[in-house]
Amino acid sequence: MLSALLATACFSLQNIYSKIVLKETRMHHLRLLYNISKYTFLLLLPTWIIYDLPGYWSDERLEDTRAAPFTAFILLFLSGMIMLAQNVVAFSVIHFLSPLSY
């Protein structure tokens, strides 16, 4: 419950900050989404390299993924596209509404 509350608070703060940036800089909302995504990728890449990348070379991991590596790739790709679509819609709505209304 605490994690859900914290995630909602962070999401709300991101929306408020995004609206402030959109107003002050007159930046296009999709450009702002691009910049946020780029910096988030750069911040999370070291964590992924440290915690997840070594698991790809272990024997246990290979046995689990040999059956359907293409299926796993397709599911990851679809998940990324759905998240991208959700973020594009969210930033477009934030552009037209106040963060509190959103």
Side-chain angles (χ1 to χ4, degrees):
M1 183 70 167
L2 187 61
S3 295
L5 182 63
L6 185 62
T8 303
C10 289
F11 185 68
S12 298
L13 288 174
Q14 178 191 359
N15 291 338
I16 292 168
Y17 178 71
S18 298
K19 184 65 174 188
I20 291 170
V21 170
L22 287 171
K23 275 187 175 181
E24 289 180 359
T25 63
R26 300 188 188 275
M27 183 184 293
H28 193 268
H29 55 280
L30 295 180
R31 181 73 167 165
L32 179 62
L33 176 62
Y34 169 75
N35 286 332
I36 289 173
S37 300
K38 179 174 58 176
Y39 292 127
T40 302
F41 174 77
L42 292 175
L43 286 171
L44 291 177
L45 185 63
T47 304
W48 180 79
I49 289 172
I50 292 169
Y51 290 104
D52 288 338
L53 190 61
Y56 284 98
W57 284 288
S58 69
D59 290 334
E60 290 177 12
R61 178 80 177 165
L62 289 175
E63 289 174 7
D64 292 341
T65 58
R66 280 188 191 142
F70 185 71
T71 303
F73 175 76
I74 293 296
L75 290 175
L76 284 172
F77 179 77
L78 288 175
S79 174
M81 290 295 106
I82 290 170
M83 284 304 299
L84 174 67
Q86 187 270 333
N87 282 321
V88 167
V89 169
F91 274 79
S92 298
V93 169
I94 288 172
H95 176 70
F96 295 112
L97 297 175
S98 71
L100 188 59
S101 299
Y102 176 73

